[in-house]
């Protein structure tokens, strides 16, 4: 495994960092001011997207991008360090058309969409003209197990009728959201992992109601993490994505690269938190010492560096494995990074907040918002406990296959 950045990736890293420093970081205050006034999308987003597109910093995430499609077809390993840089500002990835959940939805449409579905929905998404939502999580069941979902997708003639309630649906409140990919059950009597299907539901379809935009630990996201009701929503049979019963498999295909993106953005944010922690420790004094001269704070800085670098290497390994062998063969590693990185992210943010004192929990730094999002990621794409169970299950299975292999290392005393 070689994780060294190629000259191509180094050039892109420099370009993305330069774009961030010149056009995104200076607009953080303006973004917050406009969002707090209720203006969304913000006034400058379209201009920034056009500029990023003109500089070739567009759709960097999609390995299977075709020659006639806009963007740069990078592998997961090549894209990972770029996602890390974008992660330093929460809204930066949208500028490069690399934002969730649109990235995952574009991957699904790219892999499984019909030519008509791709023309109607994928191309406008690739061009950054519209936004999308992915509706799977439900309030009434443990959606960490996708087989639990209860939303009904029932066929009636040439239409599917959809009934159900979803929540924490990202982008559902975005004014430019035009399409939902909805996961529900088409055959509750089928084999457990063949009951689910995915279907395309245009935002303006009758019966689709956005009930509320749910705050996360009192943090408000303007694009929305919404509760949505589907009441007798009717769409043509041609809106089915893939085949009936393929929903669970499609969801698994979507989550592998998406977790690389989330994790690397989180690592980028954790790097920023560490940099802020160090800056603060170098300029603030207590009890006659600079903060970094206090043993506990020096230890926090050291631990944060170790944890971030460990996490990055594991994510890069996972990205490499997906590129080489596919997401199925990187199943354990995907679970490992998902269980690891949000914890590292929140731990580093928490230390930085403590070093800043009261300022660290105020709006005067981005740390409180960063910590909140890191905490939310411990649920997104499956809670930590599910991934830890998956990892343990795979390790135990391996142990069962090699039961007794450690016996030669034991030293059994002679019995007299």
């Amino acid at each position: 495994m070689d994780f060294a950045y190629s000259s191509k990736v180094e050039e892109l890293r420099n370009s993305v960092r330069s774009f961030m420093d010149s056009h995104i970081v200076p607009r953080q205050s303006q973004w917050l001011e406009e969002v707090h006034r209720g203006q969304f999308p913000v006034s400058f987003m379209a201009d920034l997207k056009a500029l990023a597109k003109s500089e070739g910093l567009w759709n960097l995430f999609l390995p299977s991008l075709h020659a006639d499609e806009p963007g740069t077809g990078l592998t997961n390993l090549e894209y990972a360090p770029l996602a890390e840089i974008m992660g330093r500002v929460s809204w930066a990835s949208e500028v490069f058309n690399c934002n969730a959940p649109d990235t995952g939805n574009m991957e699904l449409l790219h892999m499984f969409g019909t030519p008509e579905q791709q023309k109607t929905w994928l191309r406008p998404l690739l061009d950054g003209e519209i936004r999308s939502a992915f509706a799977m999580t439900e309030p009434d069941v443990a959606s960490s197990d996708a087989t639990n979902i209860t939303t009904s997708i029932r066929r009636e003639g040439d239409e599917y009728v959809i009934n159900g309630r979803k929540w924490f649906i990202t982008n559902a409140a975005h004014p430019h959201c035009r399409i939902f990919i909805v996961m529900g059950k088409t055959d509750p009597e089928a084999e457990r992992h063949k009951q689910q299907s995915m279907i395309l539901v245009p935002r303006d379809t009758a019966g689709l109601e956005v009930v509320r935009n749910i705050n996360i630990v009192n943090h408000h996201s303007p694009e929305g993490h919404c509760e949505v009701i589907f009441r007798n929503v009717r769409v043509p049979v041609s809106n089915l994505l893939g085949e009936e019963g393929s929903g669970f498999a499609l969801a698994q295909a979507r989550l592998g690269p998406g977790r690389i993106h989330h994790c690397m953005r989180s690592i980028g944010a954790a790097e920023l938190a560490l940099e802020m922690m160090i800056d603060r420790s170098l300029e603030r004094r207590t009890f006659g010492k600079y903060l970094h001269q206090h043993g506990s704070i020096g230890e926090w800085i050291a631990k944060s560096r170790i944890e971030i670098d460990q996490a990055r290497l594991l994510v890069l390994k996972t990205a490499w494995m997906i590129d080489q062998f596919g997401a199925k063969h990187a199943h354990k590693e995907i679970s490992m990074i998902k269980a690891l990185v949000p914890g590292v992210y929140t731990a580093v943010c928490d230390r930085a907040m403590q070093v800043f004192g009261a300022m660290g929990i105020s709006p005067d730094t981005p740390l409180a918002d960063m910590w909140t999002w890191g905490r939310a990621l411990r649920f997104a794409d499956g809670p930590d406990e599910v991934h830890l169970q998956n990892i343990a299950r795979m390790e135990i299975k391996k142990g069962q296959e090699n039961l007794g292999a450690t016996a030669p290392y034991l030293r059994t005393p002679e019995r007299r």
Side-chain angles (χ1 to χ4, degrees):
M1 301 178 193
D2 184 0
F3 303 148
Y5 302 144
S6 66
S7 57
K8 171 187 175 182
V9 172
E10 284 289 8
E11 184 177 345
L12 283 167
R13 287 179 75 232
N14 291 334
S15 296
V16 171
R17 176 62 75 99
S18 176
F19 194 102
M20 291 276 294
D21 291 345
S22 299
H23 304 294
I24 292 178
V25 174
R27 284 188 164 93
Q28 291 184 95
S29 294
Q30 185 182 353
W31 189 90
L32 287 169
E33 289 167 4
E34 292 189 9
V35 167
H36 288 164
R37 291 200 308 265
Q39 179 174 344
F40 192 78
V42 292
S43 62
F44 52 84
M45 181 57 72
D47 290 340
L48 286 186
K49 290 172 74 171
L51 181 59
K53 196 172 186 178
S54 71
E55 294 189 6
L57 302 175
W58 191 256
N59 290 340
L60 299 159
F61 67 94
L62 195 58
S64 58
L65 200 69
H66 298 151
D68 61 343
E69 293 173 329
T72 306
L74 302 178
T75 66
N76 288 288
L77 184 59
E78 289 172 330
Y79 174 65
L82 309 182
E84 178 177 341
I85 297 170
M86 296 176 199
R88 295 171 68 91
V89 177
S90 63
W91 49 271
S93 58
E94 181 181 359
V95 174
F96 307 100
N97 213 39
C98 293
N99 50 286
D102 294 333
T103 50
N105 292 343
M106 283 187 262
E107 285 181 304
L108 279 176
L109 286 164
H110 209 266
M111 290 187 289
F112 305 109
T114 65
E116 183 60 30
Q117 290 170 349
Q118 292 177 346
K119 177 182 176 182
T120 305
W121 304 115
L122 175 59
R123 187 64 196 214
L125 282 168
L126 288 171
D127 289 334
E129 296 172 355
I130 65 172
R131 299 291 297 271
S132 63
F134 183 74
M136 185 178 81
T137 305
E138 298 180 2
D140 298 326
V141 297
S143 300
S144 56
D145 179 357
T147 62
N148 284 340
I149 62 171
T150 60
T151 294
S152 168
I153 303 175
R154 188 182 73 257
R155 182 163 182 170
E156 290 187 2
D158 294 331
E159 293 181 320
Y160 282 107
V161 183
I162 306 164
N163 283 281
R165 183 185 296 266
K166 303 286 188 178
W167 72 343
F168 290 99
I169 307 307
T170 304
N171 263 2
H174 198 294
H176 296 162
C177 182
R178 297 289 182 269
I179 187 68
F180 283 63
I181 298 180
V182 181
M183 186 157 168
K185 288 190 175 180
T186 43
D187 185 359
E189 304 304 319
E191 188 269 321
R192 189 163 174 254
H193 293 92
K194 301 285 187 178
Q195 299 175 4
Q196 307 81 16
S197 299
M198 289 189 186
I199 197 159
L200 299 168
V201 181
R203 172 66 179 83
D204 58 0
T205 306
L208 191 164
E209 178 189 356
V210 176
V211 177
R212 58 173 174 151
N213 183 358
I214 307 169
N215 286 353
I216 296 177
V217 196
N218 293 328
H219 170 78
H220 174 78
S221 294
E223 72 276 13
H225 300 298
C226 297
E227 183 175 358
V228 183
I229 294 177
F230 298 85
R231 289 192 183 94
N232 294 318
V233 173
R234 291 179 174 269
V235 296
V237 169
S238 59
N239 280 28
L240 187 71
L241 187 61
E243 302 174 350
E244 276 199 18
S246 66
F248 191 90
L250 267 60
Q252 295 304 111
R254 181 185 189 275
L255 287 176
R259 285 174 180 150
I260 298 292
H261 306 171
H262 272 317
C263 288
M264 287 304 287
R265 283 193 293 263
S266 298
I267 288 168
E271 279 283 1
L272 176 61
L274 176 56
E275 291 170 21
M276 294 177 68
M277 188 194 322
I278 294 170
D279 277 352
R280 180 72 168 183
S281 73
L282 288 169
E283 60 85 23
R284 181 58 64 102
R285 295 170 66 94
T286 63
F287 305 104
K289 295 181 180 180
Y290 285 103
L291 291 180
H292 70 88
Q293 294 174 322
H294 293 281
S296 60
I297 293 177
E299 184 177 318
W300 293 349
I301 291 169
K303 281 185 174 180
S304 296
R305 168 50 57 215
I306 293 167
E307 291 165 4
I308 290 171
D309 284 6
Q310 286 176 328
R312 181 188 293 108
L313 285 171
L314 185 54
V315 177
L316 292 177
K317 175 191 175 184
T318 306
W320 178 86
M321 290 186 68
I322 293 174
D323 289 336
Q324 296 294 319
F325 310 112
K328 183 177 180 180
H329 292 278
H331 180 54
K332 182 172 72 173
E333 287 71 18
I334 291 168
S335 283
M336 288 167 66
I337 62 172
K338 180 57 186 62
L340 170 69
V341 173
V344 170
Y345 180 13
T346 52
V348 176
C349 287
D350 187 75
R351 292 169 190 148
M353 291 161 73
Q354 198 71 8
V355 171
F356 269 85
M359 186 180 178
I361 56 174
S362 78
D364 292 357
T365 80
L367 292 170
D369 281 342
M370 289 161 61
W371 181 92
T372 298
W373 182 237
R375 186 63 185 84
L377 284 176
R378 292 185 60 195
F379 292 107
D381 293 347
D384 292 356
E385 292 75 14
V386 171
H387 294 288
L388 292 171
Q389 284 182 343
N390 286 340
I391 296 162
R393 190 179 301 118
M394 285 181 272
E395 288 296 301
I396 290 167
K397 180 180 179 182
K398 180 180 176 182
Q400 289 171 333
E401 293 170 352
N402 297 285
L403 187 62
T406 62
Y409 296 89
L410 302 179
R411 295 178 180 177
T412 305
E414 292 183 11
R415 299 190 181 279
R416 297 178 180 177

